[in-house]
């Protein structure tokens, strides 16, 4: 696994440290029910699909697909092989879902078939997998103008083993259309004999059209790249223009094949050599500042030293040489109070003033293996003294004392995370090597949602008790993932829902929603101003805003199979019904 070299920067202005709790609202949620002509094409797990990865990929699959280009428009596939669409304009005048495409063959005839999966590629294109290994590229025309126009298949290919589609997008270059598709398979792997016996494979396909115009234009697979990993990814998406790939998973992925050829991986040797090299710089710290020392080429003068420092980034280099230090700092510093000095034209000493005094840094630049931290005996003794209560072997005889020993049995279930450290990795589309790696640690993945169709899908992670929404920006290397919204205490709340199956949020962040396996749906709204005066009796202050929680119970005993949200409505799909909940006006 590549070493972490990046961290997610939380926007403190989007956090609410004074948030108290959600208040249960008894306001009813208008719910409209549509009875389906045929059941949803649900595929249950077979006896040989027994691993946790099978459950996550296929057993928890979201059969409902929302159109990010056209609001309040959803799609699903029924047991007759029909792709059906429901577009809502008026809640009280809901019609039956309309057929836009029908699979030419019955997937049930394939013994090991999976569920049919749909990915809306652009405003005029869609990709469909029938669950037997066959891929369809469909021209949909502008779906908002003619939502029920039949879709036209322009490319069909049998790709062998069954798969599901998890992401797709299209882009045009030199009058040639390219479609990027990301497929997921779980296959038996002899090298995993000690584990489950299965490995997870992501295949990144590029389908490109010929330059001819009109009906003679042909489409073909021009590139195929395969990644292998040890767990189903929580998040996987191709960057716009196909320049890279982002994957978040519990176990790392790496590229293994390109166009069917085994990919040689010299990266491990290079990493070992780099780890054994002598440090380029040394650094030590106190509670208030950090001192960095490094040797310079002999004869270096002050005007040849290039030094750049911001609150969270540093770059030091000598003219005509590669940078000695470059990257994002572990935490914030005060650039105006920080200094550097050249000693005897041989070494450079940098003094960085910490913005948060007292916090000890484990790294100067996360992921940079070229530096070495120097710890004095006094600092080591101080660290042992501060942490001694966390490693006490004695039982806590006095629980009222200031620093009681840490007891793992006192942890709540929602605070326990998998042993494997999850990571978020960005792979370059040309070199196929990781460029940015984030160690997610205890930041539990919650859900993925499309906010802006021109951007990559967003993902939501638990940070402490909150749920934070992150927007990838692949064109901004220094700000690759932006914190764009916060759902207060949702990380803690969702952990208490043992039967939770789906999570999502509105594109305008006005609410988040949780769906259980059966019947119940929970709505958590953002804090809103009160119409009446309300006082907090304990604190003796007026409460200006209240965050409401609402609960809806669906009139169905069928398992919930799909769960999608728009700014105004929440769509819930079961085997025989489609429910539309009016959340916002």
């Amino acid at each position: 696994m590549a070493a972490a070299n990046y961290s997610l920067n939380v926007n403190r202005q989007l956090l609410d440290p004074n948030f108290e709790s959600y208040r249960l609202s008894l306001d009813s949620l208008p719910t409209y029910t549509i009875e389906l002509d045929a059941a949803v094409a649900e595929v249950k797990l077979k006896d040989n699909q027994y691993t946790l990865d099978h459950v996550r990929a296929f057993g928890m699959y979201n059969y409902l697909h929302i159109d990010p280009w056209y609001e309040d428009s959803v799609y699903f596939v029924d047991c007759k092989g029909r792709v059906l669409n429901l577009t809502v304009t008026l809640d009280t005048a809901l019609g039956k879902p309309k057929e836009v495409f029908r699979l030419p063959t019955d997937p049930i005839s394939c013994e090991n078939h999976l569920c049919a999966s749909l990915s809306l590629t652009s405003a005029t294109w869609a990709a469909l997998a029938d669950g037997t290994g066959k891929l369809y590229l469909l021209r949909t025309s502008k779906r908002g103008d003619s939502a029920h126009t039949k879709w036209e298949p322009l490319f069909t290919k049998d790709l062998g083993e069954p798969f599901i589609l998890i992401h797709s997008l299209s882009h045009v270059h030199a009058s040639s259309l390219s479609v990027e598709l990301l497929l997921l398979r779980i296959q038996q792997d002899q090298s995993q004999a000690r584990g489950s016996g299965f490995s997870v494979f992501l295949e990144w396909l590029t389908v490109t059209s010929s330059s001819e115009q009109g009906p003679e234009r042909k489409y073909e697979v021009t590139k195929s790249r395969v990644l292998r990993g040890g767990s189903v990814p929580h998040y996987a998406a191709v960057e716009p223009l196909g320049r890279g790939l982002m994957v978040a998973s519990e176990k790392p992925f790496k590229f293994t094949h390109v166009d069917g050829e085994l990919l040689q991986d010299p990266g491990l040797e290079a990493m070992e050599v780099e780890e054994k090299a002598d440090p380029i710089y040394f650094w030590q710290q106190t509670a208030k500042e950090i001192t960095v020392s490094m040797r310079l080429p002999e004869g270096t003068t002050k005007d040849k030293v290039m030094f750049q420092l911001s609150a969270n980034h540093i770059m030091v280099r000598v003219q005509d040489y590669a940078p000695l230090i470059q990257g994002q700092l572990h935490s914030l510093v005060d650039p105006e109070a920080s200094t550097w000095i050249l000693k005897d034209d041989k070494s450079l000493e940098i003094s960085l003033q910490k913005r948060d005094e007292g916090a000890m840094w484990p790294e100067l630049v996360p992921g940079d293996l070229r530096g070495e931290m120097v710890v004095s005996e006094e600092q080591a003794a101080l660290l042992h003294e501060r942490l001694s209560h966390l490693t006490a072997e004695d039982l806590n005889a006095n629980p009222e004392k200031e620093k009681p020993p840490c007891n793992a049995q006192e942890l709540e279930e929602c605070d326990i995370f998998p042993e494997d450290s999850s990571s978020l990795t960005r792979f370059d589309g040309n070199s196929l090597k990781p460029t940015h790696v984030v160690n997610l640690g205890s930041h539990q993945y919650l859900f993925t949602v499309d906010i802006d169709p021109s951007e990559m899908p967003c993902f939501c992670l638990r940070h402490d008790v909150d749920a934070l929404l992150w927007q990838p920006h692949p064109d901004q290397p220094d700000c690759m993932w932006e914190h764009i919204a916060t759902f207060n205490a949702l990380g803690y709340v969702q952990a208490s829902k043992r039967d939770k199956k789906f999570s999502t949020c509105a594109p305008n962040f006005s609410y988040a929603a949780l769906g259980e396996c059966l019947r119940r749906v929970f709505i958590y709204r953002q804090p809103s101003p009160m119409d009446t005066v309300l006082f907090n009796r304990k604190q003796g202050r007026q409460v200006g805003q209240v965050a409401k929680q609402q609960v809806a119970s669906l009139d169905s005993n069928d398992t919930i199979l799909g769960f999608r949200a728009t700014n105004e409505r929440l769509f819930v799909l079961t085997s025989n019904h489609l429910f539309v909940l009016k959340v916002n006006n």
Side-chain angles (χ1 to χ4, degrees):
M1 178 178 175
N5 61 3
Y6 197 87
S7 59
L8 300 176
N9 292 325
V10 176
N11 185 350
R12 300 292 174 183
Q13 295 180 350
L14 297 179
L15 302 181
D16 183 6
N18 298 319
F19 181 80
E20 295 179 352
S21 64
Y22 289 98
R23 306 297 183 185
L24 180 62
S25 172
L26 299 180
D27 297 339
S28 62
L29 283 171
T31 303
Y32 306 92
T33 307
I34 301 172
E35 187 174 356
L36 305 181
D37 297 332
V40 176
E42 179 187 6
V43 178
K44 298 185 182 297
L45 294 180
K46 302 173 180 61
D47 291 340
N48 60 350
Q49 297 173 329
Y50 54 83
T51 69
L52 179 60
D53 288 324
H54 285 98
V55 174
R56 288 177 173 174
F58 311 133
M60 303 288 284
Y61 184 76
N62 196 334
Y63 286 81
L64 193 60
H65 309 277
I66 198 163
D67 194 334
W69 282 270
Y70 304 101
E71 193 171 1
D72 294 303
S73 182
V74 293
Y75 296 83
F76 63 94
V77 181
D78 70 3
C79 60
K80 296 181 178 180
R82 299 179 300 173
V83 179
L84 300 176
N85 164 252
L86 176 71
T87 301
V88 179
T89 54
L90 186 63
D91 297 283
T92 55
L94 295 175
K96 290 284 187 180
K98 304 293 184 180
E99 178 184 337
V100 294
F101 182 74
R102 185 187 291 260
L103 290 170
T105 58
D106 186 3
I108 301 179
S109 59
C110 177
E111 181 180 358
N112 295 318
H113 74 284
L114 304 175
C115 55
S117 52
L118 175 70
S119 177
L120 298 170
T121 304
S122 69
T124 57
W125 282 83
L128 177 67
D130 68 353
T132 68
K134 190 170 291 186
L135 172 69
Y136 298 86
L137 287 186
L138 309 169
R139 184 163 60 187
T140 66
S141 72
K142 289 188 177 181
R143 299 184 291 273
D145 299 336
S146 51
H148 306 312
T149 300
K150 293 297 180 68
W151 294 356
E152 178 186 4
L154 295 184
F155 174 81
T156 305
K157 187 174 181 63
D158 191 337
L159 299 175
E161 291 293 326
F163 61 89
I164 59 171
L165 276 167
I166 56 176
H167 188 235
S168 68
L169 59 86
S170 64
H171 54 93
V172 179
H173 178 70
S175 73
S176 179
L177 174 71
S178 293
V179 179
E180 310 288 345
L181 303 123
L182 201 56
L183 324 178
L184 183 143
R185 295 184 177 94
I186 300 179
Q187 296 177 313
Q188 288 188 325
D189 189 348
Q190 295 181 353
S191 64
Q192 297 293 323
R194 292 186 178 181
S196 65
F198 291 88
S199 286
V200 180
F201 294 90
L202 293 176
E203 185 172 5
W204 176 9
L205 291 179
T206 301
V207 178
T208 308
S209 68
S210 58
S211 57
E212 291 87 355
Q213 298 292 332
E216 299 299 324
R217 175 174 287 195
K218 297 181 179 179
Y219 298 83
E220 61 179 354
V221 177
T222 55
K223 199 160 189 178
S224 169
R225 292 137 289 191
V226 176
L227 300 91
R228 174 182 160 189
S231 64
V232 169
H234 297 306
Y235 174 92
V238 182
E239 295 178 3
L241 305 180
R243 293 175 177 171
L245 176 70
M246 294 186 186
V247 179
S249 59
E250 291 179 5
K251 297 181 180 179
F253 276 79
K254 67 175 182 179
F255 283 90
T256 59
H257 293 78
V258 175
D259 295 330
E261 298 293 330
L262 184 64
L263 185 65
Q264 298 297 326
D265 185 13
L268 295 178
E269 294 183 6
M271 184 177 294
E272 291 176 0
V273 172
E274 185 178 4
E275 290 179 353
K276 295 177 182 178
D278 293 332
I280 293 179
Y281 62 89
F282 297 87
W283 66 283
Q284 56 184 345
Q285 62 179 320
T286 65
K288 296 183 178 180
E289 66 176 5
I290 291 177
T291 303
V292 187
S293 302
M294 64 189 73
R295 293 191 62 83
L296 301 178
E298 196 167 339
T300 300
T301 58
K302 186 176 181 180
D303 56 341
K304 291 184 178 180
V305 177
M306 302 177 65
F307 179 83
Q308 296 178 2
L309 180 67
S310 64
N312 62 350
H313 192 275
I314 188 172
M315 193 282 292
V316 181
R317 62 176 296 182
V318 178
Q319 189 175 351
D320 300 329
Y321 288 89
L324 299 171
I325 305 179
Q326 184 175 19
Q328 184 174 350
L329 294 168
H330 176 269
S331 191
L332 299 179
V333 299
D334 185 354
E336 296 182 358
S338 303
T339 60
W340 64 274
I341 185 172
L342 194 63
K343 290 188 174 182
D344 302 327
D345 298 338
K346 293 182 180 180
S347 64
L348 180 69
E349 184 174 295
I350 305 170
S351 177
L352 302 177
Q353 191 73 24
K354 293 181 179 179
R355 182 167 292 183
D356 297 328
E357 294 185 2
M360 304 304 286
W361 294 15
E363 296 177 285
L364 181 65
V365 177
D368 189 354
L369 303 177
R370 301 175 301 168
E372 181 177 311
M373 182 172 67
V374 179
V375 181
S376 64
E377 294 183 2
E378 293 80 3
Q379 286 178 320
L382 180 61
L383 287 174
H384 283 298
E385 180 181 352
R386 287 182 177 179
L387 301 178
S388 60
H389 69 284
L390 297 179
T391 57
E393 297 180 358
D394 299 330
L395 292 176
N396 183 12
N398 182 11
E400 302 299 329
K401 65 182 182 181
E402 183 179 355
K403 292 182 178 180
C406 177
N407 185 353
Q409 294 180 349
E410 295 177 356
L411 293 175
E412 297 188 34
E413 185 176 352
C414 60
D415 294 319
I416 300 175
F417 297 93
E419 294 180 0
D420 297 304
S421 181
S422 299
S423 63
L424 171 63
T425 306
R426 188 262 176 184
F427 294 93
D428 181 74
N430 294 322
S431 67
L432 305 183
K433 294 182 179 180
T435 61
H436 295 70
V437 180
V438 177
N439 183 0
L440 297 180
S442 61
H443 299 316
Q444 179 188 11
Y445 165 84
L446 299 180
F447 59 84
T448 299
V449 63
D450 286 302
I451 299 298
D452 184 348
S454 64
E455 300 278 358
M456 294 183 68
C458 298
F459 56 89
C460 189
L461 301 175
R462 178 182 173 181
H463 285 245
D464 197 9
V465 298
D466 296 332
L468 274 55
L469 198 64
W470 298 88
Q471 174 66 68
H473 294 297
D475 57 339
Q476 302 177 25
D478 294 334
C479 184
M480 186 70 69
W481 294 283
E482 180 189 3
H483 173 202
I484 60 173
T486 300
F487 297 100
N488 298 301
L490 185 67
Y492 186 82
V493 169
Q494 61 84 33
S496 67
K497 307 298 184 209
R498 292 181 176 271
D499 296 328
K500 176 181 68 72
K501 185 176 183 181
F502 295 112
S503 308
T504 189
C505 73
N508 63 0
F509 322 130
S510 59
Y511 69 92
L514 306 179
E516 294 188 341
C517 296
L518 292 171
R519 300 178 69 92
R520 289 202 300 178
V521 172
F522 299 87
I523 306 292
Y524 298 92
R525 298 181 182 274
Q526 295 283 15
S528 58
M530 291 289 297
D531 296 331
T532 59
V533 178
L534 185 67
F535 282 88
N536 185 315
R537 293 182 180 180
K538 292 183 178 180
Q539 299 180 2
R541 63 178 179 84
Q542 183 176 344
V543 178
Q545 293 185 326
V546 169
K548 294 182 179 180
Q549 169 193 348
Q550 291 175 277
V551 182
S553 183
L554 305 178
D555 186 16
S556 173
N557 292 321
D558 296 330
T559 304
I560 294 179
L561 300 177
F563 198 77
R564 301 289 181 179
T566 66
N567 292 333
E568 294 186 11
R569 300 173 179 88
L570 180 67
F571 295 86
V572 183
L573 181 69
T574 65
S575 300
N576 298 291
H577 296 87
L578 177 59
F579 295 90
V580 182
L581 282 68
K582 184 73 169 180
V583 181
N584 290 323
N585 293 321

